[in-house]
Amino acid sequence: MRCKTTPFDTLNKYSGEFSGAFADLGTFLPLVLGLIALNHFSPQGIFTGFGLFALFTASYYRRPIPVQPMKVIAALVIAQGLTPGMLQASGIMMGIILLVLAYSGAITWMAKQLSPAISIGIQLAIGLQLIGMGGQMIGHSPLIGLLALSALLLSRYLPLPYLAMPLVLTLGMLWQFNSDVAPSFALSAGSNWELGWPALDEWGAAAGLLVLPQLALTLTNAVIATSAMANEKFPEDHKKFNDRFSPKRFATSAGWANLFLAPIGAAAMCHGAGGLAVQHHFGARTWLTPTIFGAACLFIAAFWGQGIASLLSLIPLAVLGSLLAIAGTQLAWSKRFIDGKPFCIVVILSTAAICLLVNTAAGLAVGVILEMGRRQ
């Protein structure tokens, strides 16, 4: 006998989709607003890219698959003051690489070489990095950040848990508006949307400075780990549509998105296991989540001006840090820490340690070597 759905259940469901749509702002906004505020890139091009990619993702996967900036590329562009042409070139090259790996079958072969322990180890390392980044952001206004983090953690015990995230975000903006603390992001209405094409020297510089450092993280976190997590979160889809969340599909969707949208000024974009973890935690379950997020991005792009710039400037960095810390916690935790075999735990911890101490590619290599030793 099926239980009757109440208005309370319906409200909880749709509030979860809305909260999930903006649950990944801790990763998204600092990088995107950094490109706009510090590098003076076109907000219209960047938000249009994310909007179109999110709407495509909603129709392609029918689930809350996240859309994120490629973290290494965005961070390096911001930190080193690189040009829009280099960001554009990196997105196009990443798109081509992902499509080649997808259609050649190489990404499927790579995914088969990775045991669940290696994937969990990579997720653990990235989760700990997100927690660390979130802690640094909370440090800008510790009291506000810790209050936001506590409220979000305790919200799961409330009757309408998914309403906590938009409420915390709204209260944080009201606090910023009425406080003497300088806004986290100095945004203005400037920057015109100008289409262009990377110069010849920007292609080579982007390949060495941006694409190579990003590649290992994209293949592991944005493709293979996201595939594993999506199959875990939505097992019914995996049974009904065997390849809906395959690594090949994730590489294909991100590849085509970058290839088509980078030329119009979009940032280099991908999916991400951390984004999926935090969106699911805050109630995202269907295609409505990326649809809401995509529509919001397109609205910002279409009506960008001083009003929207000032509104986004009011989001406290400490509140975004609390969201990022929760995303890291959700990504880092796995039930394998409880029921995994001893060798499995060794592989997880070794992979994570090398990822943190060296880089993701080195951690991946160590995990594969350990697994190969066990098989022999």
Side-chain angles (χ1 to χ4, degrees), residues 51-143:
L52 293 176
F53 188 18
L55 293 181
F56 168 76
T57 297
S59 64
Y60 191 58
Y61 293 105
R62 309 298 295 175
R63 289 292 187 182
I65 302 302
V67 170
Q68 304 174 328
M70 290 189 178
K71 301 178 186 66
V72 175
I73 289 178
L76 288 174
V77 168
I78 294 170
Q80 299 183 26
L82 304 181
T83 64
M86 289 183 66
L87 179 64
Q88 189 178 47
S90 67
I92 294 171
M93 285 188 282
M94 284 299 301
I96 293 172
I97 292 170
L98 288 171
L99 291 174
V100 169
L101 291 174
Y103 290 117
S104 68
I107 195 68
T108 303
W109 178 86
M110 291 173 62
K112 290 179 179 178
Q113 308 312 306
L114 299 186
S115 68
I118 297 174
S119 180
I120 292 169
I122 293 171
Q123 291 177 43
L124 172 60
I126 296 172
L128 292 175
Q129 290 174 330
L130 293 180
I131 292 172
M133 292 167 58
Q136 292 177 356
M137 293 161 67
I138 288 173
H140 284 260
S141 301
L143 179 59

Side-chain angles (χ1 to χ4, degrees), residues 61-62 231 235-246 249:
Y61 293 105
R62 309 298 295 175
N231 285 318
E236 64 276 19
D237 286 33
H238 180 59
K239 293 178 182 178
K240 188 175 181 180
F241 312 100
N242 187 43
D243 67 339
R244 169 169 281 184
F245 303 127
S246 67
R249 282 174 68 92

Side-chain angles (χ1 to χ4, degrees), residues 121-370:
I122 293 171
Q123 291 177 43
L124 172 60
I126 296 172
L128 292 175
Q129 290 174 330
L130 293 180
I131 292 172
M133 292 167 58
Q136 292 177 356
M137 293 161 67
I138 288 173
H140 284 260
S141 301
L143 179 59
I144 297 301
L146 291 175
L147 285 174
L149 181 61
S150 300
L152 292 173
L153 290 174
L154 294 173
S155 65
R156 61 186 302 178
Y157 303 106
L158 298 176
L160 291 171
Y162 303 138
L163 289 178
M165 199 280 288
L167 180 61
V168 165
L169 200 61
T170 301
L171 291 176
M173 295 172 71
L174 289 174
W175 168 83
Q176 180 70 67
F177 181 77
N178 291 290
S179 74
D180 296 327
V181 178
S184 304
F185 308 99
L187 295 175
S188 67
S191 292
N192 294 321
W193 192 2
E194 297 179 359
L195 300 181
W197 191 252
L200 188 61
D201 62 322
E202 290 177 317
W203 289 96
L209 292 175
L210 301 176
V211 174
L212 288 179
Q214 176 69 55
L215 190 56
L217 182 62
T218 296
L219 295 180
T220 51
N221 179 55
V223 177
I224 297 173
T226 305
S227 171
M229 181 167 286
N231 285 318
E232 176 189 338
K233 298 294 186 185
F234 306 107
E236 64 276 19
D237 286 33
H238 180 59
K239 293 178 182 178
K240 188 175 181 180
F241 312 100
N242 187 43
D243 67 339
R244 169 169 281 184
F245 303 127
S246 67
K248 179 179 179 179
R249 282 174 68 92
F250 283 114
T252 301
S253 57
W256 283 119
N258 281 291
L259 195 60
F260 281 123
L261 297 175
I264 69 168
M269 301 176 293
C270 61
H271 304 296
L276 177 55
V278 73
Q279 287 183 359
H280 191 273
H281 173 79
F282 282 108
R285 297 293 184 272
T286 72
W287 56 271
L288 279 174
T289 291
T291 300
I292 294 169
F293 176 75
C297 287
L298 291 179
F299 178 87
I300 291 173
F303 297 99
W304 180 265
Q306 191 56 51
I308 290 179
S310 299
L311 189 65
L312 291 177
S313 298
L314 290 177
I315 302 176
L317 197 62
V319 174
L320 294 178
S322 68
L323 292 174
L324 195 57
I326 290 177
T329 303
Q330 294 297 313
L331 184 60
W333 172 249
S334 170
K335 63 180 181 179
R336 289 294 180 93
F337 296 131
I338 298 175
D339 58 16
K341 295 180 180 180
F343 187 82
C344 177
I345 300 297
V346 169
V347 173
I348 292 172
L349 296 180
S350 299
T351 301
I354 300 301
C355 285
L356 292 171
L357 294 173
V358 186
N359 56 44
T360 306
L364 174 63
V366 167
V368 170
I369 291 171
L370 288 174

